[in-house]
Amino acid sequence: MRWEAITWDRLGDQLAERLLDLKPADGGTWPRIAFDGAPAARPGDLAEHVGEALRVLGRPSLVVGTSGFLRPASLRLEHGRQDADSYYDGWYDTGALWRELFGPLDPGGDGRVLPDLWDPATDRATRSPYVRLPPGGFLLLHGPFLLRHWFPLDLSVHLLLSPGALRRRTPEAERWTLPAFDRYQRESDPAGVADVRVRADDPRHPAWSG
């Protein structure tokens, strides 16, 4: 694979420009974009870059992190606080993502989505108000393991980290999650199925597949 060096700001601009002509594959009104990657790769930062670039271009967007759709602690931690399989299979409320984000953006939907549902710090519902995404607005969803759920995505961006970089950039207290990312690579091949790949081993000098 050929890699092109780029800055994060320029990458955000390039992706935003690509999105301008993107039409939802299902004939709907709202393009849905995934920024997939381990927390250490900071996919949310890239999603924010793209959202800002779209704003400058006069296009609305909504940046949503799956960290706002964690399941309650009683369910997440049922098998302990450091169970990598539970982290992979059971931490994120994919049902709520379908119901509160993707469903309202289906053809004929009203565009009224929930930006977050659960606060892991308080282990309570956030009670955030619904947001209406205007027709033609972009959903920019970021988080880990996004390319294994068959979400109706119109473009996917995967931020890659080598195993060494992933270990270095993951805080020691969170390294128990590393087997989950190894499993994700084996079972889902996110770099192989993503539309756009970004190599983020060096956070100062990303590269992308163009």
Side-chain angles (χ1 to χ4, degrees):
M1 184 182 301
R2 183 177 178 180
W3 296 99
E4 176 187 344
I6 196 168
T7 66
W8 289 111
D9 286 341
R10 182 59 179 156
L11 178 58
D13 291 342
Q14 292 269 31
L15 287 173
E17 291 170 8
R18 179 178 296 191
L19 295 182
L20 292 180
D21 295 324
L22 183 66
K23 304 298 182 185
D26 59 8
T29 304
W30 301 275
R32 297 142 301 186
I33 319 303
F35 296 84
D36 174 65
R42 305 185 68 85
D45 289 356
L46 181 55
E48 293 286 356
H49 278 298
V50 173
E52 176 58 22
L54 286 170
R55 186 192 66 77
V56 172
L57 293 170
R59 295 292 298 273
S61 66
L62 178 66
V63 178
V64 176
T66 58
S67 59
F69 286 84
L70 290 175
R71 301 171 77 199
S74 60
L75 299 175
R76 293 198 317 275
L77 309 180
E78 182 179 2
H79 300 288
R81 293 183 176 274
Q82 297 189 352
D83 186 282
D85 287 333
S86 292
Y87 177 61
Y88 185 68
D89 288 320
W91 273 44
Y92 294 93
D93 192 341
T94 54
L97 288 167
W98 279 100
R99 182 180 68 251
E100 304 293 357
L101 281 179
F102 290 106
L105 303 183
D106 281 342
D110 61 7
R112 185 172 174 266
V113 298
L114 192 65
D116 53 56
L117 178 65
W118 200 260
D119 185 342
T122 63
D123 200 35
R124 296 178 181 274
T126 58
R127 302 190 183 278
S128 295
Y130 282 84
V131 175
R132 194 174 298 278
L133 191 59
F138 295 88
L139 172 65
L140 307 179
L141 178 67
H142 63 87
F145 315 132
L146 292 180
L147 304 185
R148 62 180 292 255
H149 297 297
W150 302 100
F151 289 140
L153 302 170
D154 299 299
L155 188 83
S156 57
V157 181
H158 176 63
L159 284 80
L160 295 84
L161 290 174
S162 68
L166 177 60
R167 173 168 286 277
R168 289 193 305 272
R169 295 182 57 186
T170 299
E172 185 172 355
E174 298 172 13
R175 287 181 182 167
W176 62 269
T177 64
L178 296 181
F181 294 104
D182 181 60
R183 180 180 169 189
Y184 182 45
Q185 296 294 332
R186 295 194 315 270
E187 296 184 357
S188 299
D189 185 25
V193 302
D195 299 301
V196 177
R197 289 157 287 279
V198 178
R199 182 165 290 284
D201 284 1
D202 184 341
R204 301 164 299 175
H205 303 292
W208 75 315
S209 59

